[in-house]
């Protein structure tokens, strides 16, 4: 059965795990609960349980597309200023080196230079949302980097190259944030982030796949684009998910408001 592809919000730092005294709602701030609930239901909403996940995080960039081939990656606590217990979180899912190398091969066949590495830990764009979605850490994960040039068209083409994995039981996930401007929060963010979200969602859910790809690749021409993304690394995982989604229908799978930001997630297929 063909898996869909997803672009998910991964929250802010260890946002879902700030209160260790509450195992069901470990974040004390209810603004994160809708996003947490969405992530917690990801696997149940799939047509079948995936055999593995290929995940692209907005927190890993390399000169060339690079796959993580580690067997049991450590966690990379690449956030700062949070409570001490958030630097002792565990999420012990196995790596998926065979899937990583299969993905790299598909990218090479499409003309992309690729690399491998095994030492880097899983960044919080991986383990924070996946710890919510897969608390038992029982599906293997392979991580793919972004390409440092952040070329949207190239990332869409890369996603297209990875699409065969969907028929091999692999869930392709782009992990980022549809809005990512940490310098503005609160009421002043509401109107521009809503305008941006409306425009982005209209582009992503365009029913014509070719036009959809063109509109999303030209994301920086949408209203409030640079307000939403002063730098676009958190948006680029969307391009991979969209490319891998091919001609499948796209839907806005999640929308919530945090700190004045409107944040959405998308599903293809």
């Amino acid at each position: 059965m063909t898996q869909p592809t997803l672009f998910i919000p991964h929250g802010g730092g260890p946002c879902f795990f700030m209160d260790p005294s509450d195992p069901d709602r470990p974040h004390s701030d209810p603004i994160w609960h809708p996003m947490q609930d969405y992530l917690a239901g990801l696997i149940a909403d799939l047509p079948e349980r995936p055999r593995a996940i290929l995940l692209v995080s907005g927190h890993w960039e390399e000169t060339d597309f690079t796959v993580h081939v580690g067997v049991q990656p450590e966690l990379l606590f690449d956030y700062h200023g949070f409570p001490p217990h958030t630097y002792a979180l565990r999420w012990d899912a196995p790596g998926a080196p065979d899937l990583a190398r299969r993905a790299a091969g598909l990218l090479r066949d499409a003309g992309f230079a690729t690399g491998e590495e095994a030492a880097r830990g899983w960044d919080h764009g991986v383990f924070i949302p996946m710890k919510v979605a897969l608390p038992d850490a029982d599906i293997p994960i392979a991580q793919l980097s972004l390409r440092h040039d952040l070329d949207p068209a190239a990332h869409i083409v890369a996603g297209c190259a990875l699409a065969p994995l969907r028929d091999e039981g692999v869930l392709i996930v782009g992990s980022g944030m549809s809005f990512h401007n940490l310098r503005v929060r609160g009421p002043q963010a509401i109107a521009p982030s809503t305008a941006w979200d409306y425009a982005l969602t209209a582009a992503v859910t365009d029913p014509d796949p070719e036009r959809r790809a063109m509109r999303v690749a030209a994301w920086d021409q949408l209203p409030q684009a640079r307000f939403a993304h002063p730098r676009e690394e958190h948006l680029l995982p969307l391009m991979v998910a969209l490319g891998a989604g091919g001609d499948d229908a796209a839907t806005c799978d999640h929308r919530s408001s945090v700190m004045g930001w409107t944040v959405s997630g998308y599903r293809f297929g």
Side-chain angles (χ1 to χ4, degrees):
M1 185 174 292
T2 301
Q3 289 286 352
T5 71
L6 304 174
F7 173 69
I8 63 169
H10 63 231
C15 61
F16 309 116
F17 302 100
M18 294 287 282
D19 182 0
S21 68
D22 184 348
D24 296 319
R25 288 292 193 184
H27 194 284
S28 58
D29 191 335
I31 65 170
W32 294 104
H33 289 174
M35 192 181 296
Q36 181 185 357
D37 290 342
Y38 164 66
L39 294 170
L42 280 183
I43 302 304
D45 286 343
L46 297 174
E48 64 182 15
R49 188 174 178 83
R51 70 169 181 86
I53 295 171
L54 179 67
L55 190 145
V56 186
S57 164
H59 288 277
W60 185 22
E61 301 173 31
E62 297 287 350
T63 301
D64 298 318
F65 288 113
T66 301
V67 292
H68 194 300
V69 295
V71 174
Q72 193 74 53
E74 299 292 328
L75 302 187
L76 174 61
F77 296 103
D78 55 338
Y79 43 72
H80 308 283
F82 290 92
H85 77 270
T86 65
Y87 298 90
L89 294 172
R90 297 291 303 272
W91 190 70
D92 298 323
D98 289 347
L99 169 59
R101 293 188 172 104
R102 165 78 170 132
L106 290 170
L107 291 171
R108 284 194 297 272
D109 289 345
F112 292 103
T114 65
E116 292 185 4
E117 75 84 44
R120 183 182 188 275
W122 279 329
D123 59 67
H124 77 274
V126 181
F127 76 85
I128 291 297
M130 289 295 100
K131 187 172 171 64
V132 177
L134 289 169
D136 294 330
D138 55 355
I139 296 178
I141 303 281
Q143 187 176 3
L144 170 68
S145 78
L146 297 174
R147 203 170 72 178
H148 186 67
D149 64 3
L150 302 181
D151 180 342
H155 284 77
I156 291 173
V157 173
C160 292
L162 296 168
L165 297 174
R166 299 174 59 196
D167 293 322
E168 301 172 14
V170 175
L171 177 67
I172 298 174
V173 177
S175 172
M177 289 286 279
S178 63
F179 182 95
H180 193 254
N181 183 346
L182 302 181
R183 295 193 294 268
V184 59
R185 306 179 187 189
Q188 67 269 33
I190 294 173
S193 72
T194 301
W196 156 255
D197 187 82
Y198 177 85
L200 178 64
T201 298
V204 171
T205 59
D206 190 316
D208 182 284
E210 185 175 348
R211 190 172 60 222
R212 173 201 306 163
M214 292 176 61
R215 292 175 68 182
V216 175
W219 70 272
D220 58 349
Q221 304 302 307
L222 297 176
Q224 302 294 341
R226 283 299 176 186
F227 180 87
H229 291 278
R231 188 174 186 273
E232 59 266 35
E233 78 287 343
H234 274 66
L235 188 64
L236 264 292
L238 169 62
M239 312 301 172
V240 179
L242 183 151
D247 293 344
D248 286 354
T251 56
C252 182
D253 210 28
H254 168 78
R255 179 174 285 123
S256 59
S257 179
V258 291
M259 298 184 289
W261 311 337
T262 300
V263 178
S264 289
Y266 302 103
R267 174 171 171 153
F268 303 88

